[in-house]
Amino acid sequence: MTTQTTGTTPPGTDDPDSWMLDLVAQVRGVQHAVVLSSDGLVKVRTDDTVPDTADKVAAACAGLVALGMSMGREFGAGDRLRQVVVEFDGGFLFVRGAGDGSRLAVVTDATVDPGLVAQQMQAQVLMIGEHALGTDPVS
């Protein structure tokens, strides 16, 4: 997958900031990569991810992050969530912090190496900078 427009992406739906996701988007098996705000709104998406799909991924991830934070408060040492990994028939969903209040979400197929995806997600956040991908937390 690349962040270039393909025949499956409607014209005019390119995300001008999609270059920020190139490192993780180029991993074999990655289908979608999205940066979402703390309230579940799409900030950046790969060009291969149409806006409607990006919105669905962001909304689902916001719910998973809230659930993870709640579990951390109840059973862990606080509400700081490091990552969420969901395995489903046909693939994975990875979610990790990408700055204050934002998250990087990656949807893959089943052929992906989960360790490589997690490593590339970490490198992506470090390379671009948490500040560039971050959003202000919702009060």
Side-chain angles (χ1 to χ4, degrees):
M1 179 178 135
T2 66
T3 55
Q4 301 300 313
T5 303
T6 67
T8 60
T9 303
T13 61
D14 293 354
D15 188 321
D17 294 324
S18 66
W19 62 270
M20 287 198 253
L21 300 175
D22 281 347
L23 188 62
V24 73
Q26 293 172 358
V27 174
R28 186 178 65 89
V30 168
Q31 296 176 335
H32 306 288
V34 175
V35 175
L36 57 134
S37 66
S38 59
D39 54 355
L41 299 176
V42 176
K43 288 189 64 187
V44 180
R45 62 179 170 76
T46 54
D47 287 342
D48 288 345
T49 303
V50 295
D52 187 51
T53 298
D55 288 341
K56 289 175 186 175
V57 169
C61 290
L64 287 170
V65 166
L67 176 62
M69 291 173 67
S70 176
M71 294 296 293
R73 279 191 299 273
E74 183 68 26
F75 301 108
D79 65 358
R80 185 167 179 260
L81 184 66
R82 292 191 179 109
Q83 68 178 347
V84 175
V85 179
V86 177
E87 182 178 5
F88 48 87
D89 284 343
F92 296 89
L93 168 66
F94 300 86
V95 186
R96 62 148 290 133
D100 290 339
S102 67
R103 305 285 172 187
L104 171 59
V106 176
V107 178
T108 72
D109 64 24
T111 66
V112 77
D113 175 356
L116 178 59
V117 172
Q119 177 183 354
Q120 292 301 90
M121 289 175 72
Q122 173 73 14
Q124 187 77 73
V125 170
L126 292 174
M127 187 173 83
I128 299 301
E130 291 190 357
H131 180 68
L133 294 175
T135 58
D136 294 328
V138 174
S139 304

